[in-house]
Amino acid sequence: MSLTTSAEPGTGPADPVEVPPEPSWGERLLVAVLATGAIAVLKWWTLDMPANWDESWAVIPGAITLRDNGFDIPALLSSPGYNQYGPATHGASPVTWMSGLVLSVVPSESALRALHFVHFAIGGFSVSEVYRFVRGVWSRSASGLFAGSMILVPVISAQLGAVYLEIPLMAATLLMANAYVRRRYWAAAGWATLATAIKPTGLYAAIAIGIAGLLTRFSWRSIGRGFLLGAPAIGIALWHLLEITQTYGEVPAPFKSVLSAVGTTGTMPEFSLPLLLSVLAFVAVRRSISEELRIRLRIAIAVELAFIFVFVIVPFVGLRDRLLPRYVVGILPLVAFVAIAAIKTVYGRRFAVIFSSLLLAFLILNTNGDLSPRRDVLNTVLQERTNAYADLILLQKELMDIGIARPEPVFVTAPTYWFRVRYPELGYSDVIPEKIVDLGHVDFDPDDPDTYPDAFLILETENYENNTKLFAESVKENDDFEVEAIERSRGRYTLELLVVRRVGDP
């Protein structure tokens, strides 16, 4: 253990303090390589999967645009986002830029696979950062088991199989936490800024630095220093907030966001249970524990509090009227660490081992959503937190293929499908079928049946996808049209492709 001269943000002059131990580069590299290999084995099946919802309307369209426009980032940023049928939803994210570089050197037919492998490597690096965080207070074997178990948590496992932002955000959050543990506060601020640049929700990483300082010593100087450290990340988040409010036009009330967040969290035991148990940490930090454990608990608790503030207290988070399960991915390793470390401190090692083993067994059994209630079949909580989403994606592709091959001239879909067929790299279609339209992008008026084509198709999907289901219900209730349903099932999902004809039309 070495000495350095540093101090907590805002606590006064620097004093000699002990820097917590850190595993060697070789040890961390070994963990990263092993974890990447394990992820590749567990998620190999995703290489042949079409892109999922977020991939198909956010990161990959932006990456394709950069590849095709000579990597003109300002041009991408000036393009419209998802809600305006453009590629710039996450145009400012370094993950989109990195994906654009990959697509620039990889043939189109291999692009999605290449992006998956890059994502596997980022996941393996994240596991090594988890290992690095806990290694200073736990044994090598316990640290390895804990870090490796993160791959098996359903909500993390689902994101490891996606080319999106949550796993890179988790990596940046862990880099911030590890820098803070070693009193490298400006480095921590830099990683927090990267987290926010990856995705605006990463703002919690910057807020956590200030909260951790306040947990150490409350003072106006600590508040000012914390704000200075977090200013770049706050600026990025405010820029995105202005874009969001201009796009959606209104922000739900905070109370509605709180209810939505609590409701979703209650259906995620891998997050809600450790979060509830982590309250023991406030008891644990007052006990006789090592400084290494104390500083780790401090920053991890600060991340929890910052996350709750951003996703429950701040009203703009409720724009989509739910706490999406994937948002917890970035902080889940820290939440689990706080819970287990606190249980071990308060109740002893044996109880902590029993709890960890039972929780891990439950998570493994629920990897594919088998323990989730049937009523969640068309709920994003299930779709985003387990591998059950694969059945839904393949089912949606099957019905899209049927619809594209049929003679009806118009195929009405939700916006996610509209994006998928316009980018062959996403694995849904080799050609761009012009017949596919979205309710917000159609030539006829959905509110005026007289403008409907005499024959068309509807892919009936969830309400949150631009109210396609509501439109389908209105057509079924209209006596001027007859509806034939082509039904397909896969796993726990059943969807319908509706063939609609005006009554009297041959």
Side-chain angles (χ1 to χ4, degrees), residues 155-367:
V155 68
I156 295 179
S157 174
Q159 289 300 312
L160 286 169
V163 179
Y164 196 51
L165 307 176
E166 307 307 331
I167 299 301
L169 177 55
M170 178 170 70
T173 301
L174 290 165
L175 284 165
M176 179 279 296
N178 277 314
Y180 186 93
V181 163
R182 286 155 186 85
R183 279 85 171 179
R184 300 168 185 162
Y185 301 117
W186 287 107
W191 293 125
T193 302
L194 176 62
T196 312
I198 289 173
K199 193 175 183 182
T201 51
L203 177 63
Y204 60 70
I207 297 175
I209 297 175
I211 293 178
L214 294 178
L215 291 176
T216 304
R217 178 186 297 178
F218 182 87
S219 69
W220 289 111
R221 182 177 179 182
S222 66
I223 294 175
R225 181 79 175 273
F227 179 81
L228 183 62
L229 289 169
I234 293 172
I236 293 173
L238 289 176
W239 174 58
H240 282 284
L241 175 58
L242 290 174
E243 284 194 327
I244 289 172
T245 52
Q246 290 174 358
T247 300
Y248 291 104
E250 61 177 333
V251 176
F255 183 68
K256 191 174 183 181
S257 292
V258 171
L259 290 179
S260 179
V262 172
T264 299
T265 302
T267 64
M268 300 178 63
E270 68 266 37
F271 172 63
S272 56
L273 183 57
L275 186 65
L276 289 174
L277 291 174
S278 66
V279 299
L280 291 173
F282 290 96
V283 178
V285 294
R286 288 170 173 79
R287 295 192 169 214
S288 178
I289 60 175
S290 67
E291 177 59 22
E292 290 89 346
L293 177 57
R294 189 181 305 278
I295 192 172
R296 284 169 172 81
L297 286 175
R298 185 181 299 141
I299 186 61
I301 292 171
V303 169
E304 289 185 15
L305 293 175
F307 179 88
I308 292 171
F309 173 79
V310 170
F311 285 93
V312 177
I313 305 297
V314 178
F316 76 81
V317 178
L319 280 170
R320 278 307 185 193
D321 200 22
R322 67 173 65 86
L323 170 64
L324 292 177
R326 64 174 178 264
Y327 288 160
V328 308
V329 168
I331 74 163
L332 196 49
L334 299 176
V335 174
F337 167 76
V338 170
I340 294 173
I343 289 174
K344 181 181 178 182
T345 302
V346 176
Y347 297 109
R349 180 178 178 274
R350 180 175 298 178
F351 190 85
V353 170
I354 293 174
F355 166 77
S356 303
S357 301
L358 291 175
L359 182 59
L360 182 59
F362 171 83
L363 297 178
I364 293 174
L365 290 173
N366 198 39
T367 299

Side-chain angles (χ1 to χ4, degrees), residues 446-464:
D447 296 324
D448 184 2
D450 291 337
T451 67
Y452 294 1
D454 290 332
F456 58 98
L457 303 166
I458 306 174
L459 184 53
E460 187 173 12
T461 58
E462 300 85 333
N463 285 334
Y464 70 87

